[in-house]
Every structure is written in C-alpha cells, then in structure tokens.
Amino acid sequence: MLKMDEKTLLREAKDINLEKIQQAVRQNGVMSGLMQILLLKVSAHITEQLGMAPGGEFREAFREAGRVPFCKFHLGDRPIPVTFKRAIAALSLWQKLKLAWGLCFLSDPISKEDVEKCKQKDLLEQTMAEMIGEFPDLHRTIVAERDMYLTYTLRQAARCVDAPANTQKVPAVVVGVVGMGHVPGIEKNWDKTLNIQDIMRSVCLFHHSV
C-alpha cells in the first residue's frame, strides 16, 4: 500500500476477478476476504472522486523517511489480517449483511471540501459517534483497539536509548504519522498500562446485539 499510487489502486479495483476473490478468501477466510475486496472498491471510489488515493500521507512519510540519514521506518499499526478477522467476528450476521450492502452500493459524491470539513474536530467526533451508535463492536475493533496498539508502538519507539560512547540515556526523536481519527484515542491511552496480547488474537468473542 505504501508504494501504491492512484493509478495502481484504480487498476487493482477495476481488475477484480474470480481469481483475485478466491485468493483473498484463501488468505483471509470467506468473510474477511470478501470484505477486503469491498474495501478495495471503496478506496477506488474515493480515489476517483478526489483524484488521490487514501493513505497519501503515509506514502509521503515513507518517501521522506528515505531521505533522512539513519532514519528507521517502522510500521506501527496492527496487522490488517488480525484487524479484519476481529472486526468480522465482532459483527452479527445482520450487521455483516448491512455493512456489506452499504459498501456495495456506496456511490455518494465526495469533494475535497468534504474532506476538509472532516478535519474539524467537532465533525470528526460526530462521525465517530455515529459509527459507535450503528456498529459499536466494529468501532471497538477497527478504531479503539488500534488506538491502543498505535499508542503502544509509539511509546516503544519513543523510549530512550543507550549512547555507546558514554552510556547515557539519549531521548529518541520520533515522528508518528497516524490518521486523525486515532489522535484522541492515542492521547487517552498514552499514560495507561496497555496489554496488547488480548487485541492481537485473530478470533475474538463478542456479545452481538442487533
């Protein structure tokens, strides 16, 4: 994804065929594989509307990091297959069908002005609240759990390191690039003791409410 530009993303979305669907299902399971294909189509829709692929800030950070001497680039988010499997397991059958239907028929126009509006904190919080209300378990697995994981990896990266010359602790210089929707959760979790083992299990059990 870091090396995928707008043209590649659109090509991948337009070239979805039975072979690609079967490969996604073999790698991630039936529901997770189909959801992955649907999200690819959503990404293509956004790319066509805005003229740029989602995740551009991460690709730019990757390119800039390559220009900084001795800079280490670290992918700090939870592996996508784990998030997909936990998200699907968290939804009831009705919620899965409802979500898939919404993704299949996503056609609302998106403008750059809409994107700028989403950067406003109040609107962002409202959007997140709507997601929590409609799919609380999905929000937990896709947003809240990843908030914890991102906080953990950022804190790990920010730990002081030993300088070989004088064995003094040297503070690390860290630049974290995260989605805006994760910032409040990272701030909330920063000083907490976090156990990421529980949110790294591929299968989780939730109480489903329709």
Side-chain angles (χ1 to χ4, degrees), residues 6 23 28 35 60 62 67 72 90 102 127 133 143 162 200:
E6 284 75 13
Q23 182 180 0
N28 304 289
M35 193 62 66
E60 185 62 29
F62 178 67
R67 299 188 180 105
K72 293 183 178 180
T127 303
V143 180
D162 289 326
M200 283 301 292

Side-chain angles (χ1 to χ4, degrees), residues 6-161:
E6 284 75 13
K7 291 182 180 179
T8 306
L9 184 59
L10 283 172
R11 185 174 66 250
E12 287 291 317
K14 290 179 179 179
D15 290 344
I16 293 176
N17 50 37
L18 182 59
E19 183 180 351
K20 282 190 177 180
I21 295 175
Q22 289 175 335
Q23 182 180 0
V25 169
R26 281 196 301 268
Q27 291 177 345
N28 304 289
V30 176
M31 291 304 300
S32 295
L34 293 177
M35 193 62 66
Q36 182 178 335
I37 295 296
L38 288 175
L39 290 176
L40 180 59
K41 291 186 70 65
V42 171
S43 296
H45 170 69
I46 295 173
T47 302
E48 285 184 320
Q49 294 287 314
L50 299 180
M52 58 182 181
E57 65 273 28
F58 304 117
R59 287 185 288 276
E60 185 62 29
F62 178 67
R63 286 191 290 267
E64 290 299 319
R67 299 188 180 105
V68 179
F70 308 111
C71 177
K72 293 183 178 180
F73 186 86
H74 178 66
L75 296 174
D77 203 350
R78 185 170 63 179
I80 292 177
V82 176
T83 297
F84 267 155
K85 289 177 181 178
R86 289 181 65 84
I88 294 301
L91 298 176
S92 66
L93 178 59
W94 167 245
Q95 288 173 324
K96 290 172 185 172
L97 293 173
K98 187 177 181 181
L99 179 62
W101 180 269
L103 293 176
C104 281
F105 295 97
L106 181 68
S107 59
D108 293 339
I110 304 171
S111 67
K112 292 184 178 180
E113 289 74 21
D114 293 331
V115 175
E116 290 300 318
K117 288 179 182 178
C118 286
K119 293 180 181 179
Q120 300 173 16
K121 185 177 180 182
D122 292 343
L123 184 58
L124 180 64
E125 291 177 349
Q126 178 184 342
T127 303
M128 298 295 281
E130 290 174 356
M131 180 181 178
I132 294 173
E134 191 165 7
F135 297 104
D137 291 327
L138 192 65
H139 177 272
R140 183 187 303 125
T141 52
I142 291 182
V143 180
E145 290 183 357
R146 288 172 58 222
D147 288 346
M148 294 173 56
Y149 192 93
L150 288 165
T151 303
Y152 178 83
T153 54
L154 280 169
R155 288 197 320 209
Q156 290 292 100
R159 290 184 305 173
C160 290
V161 295

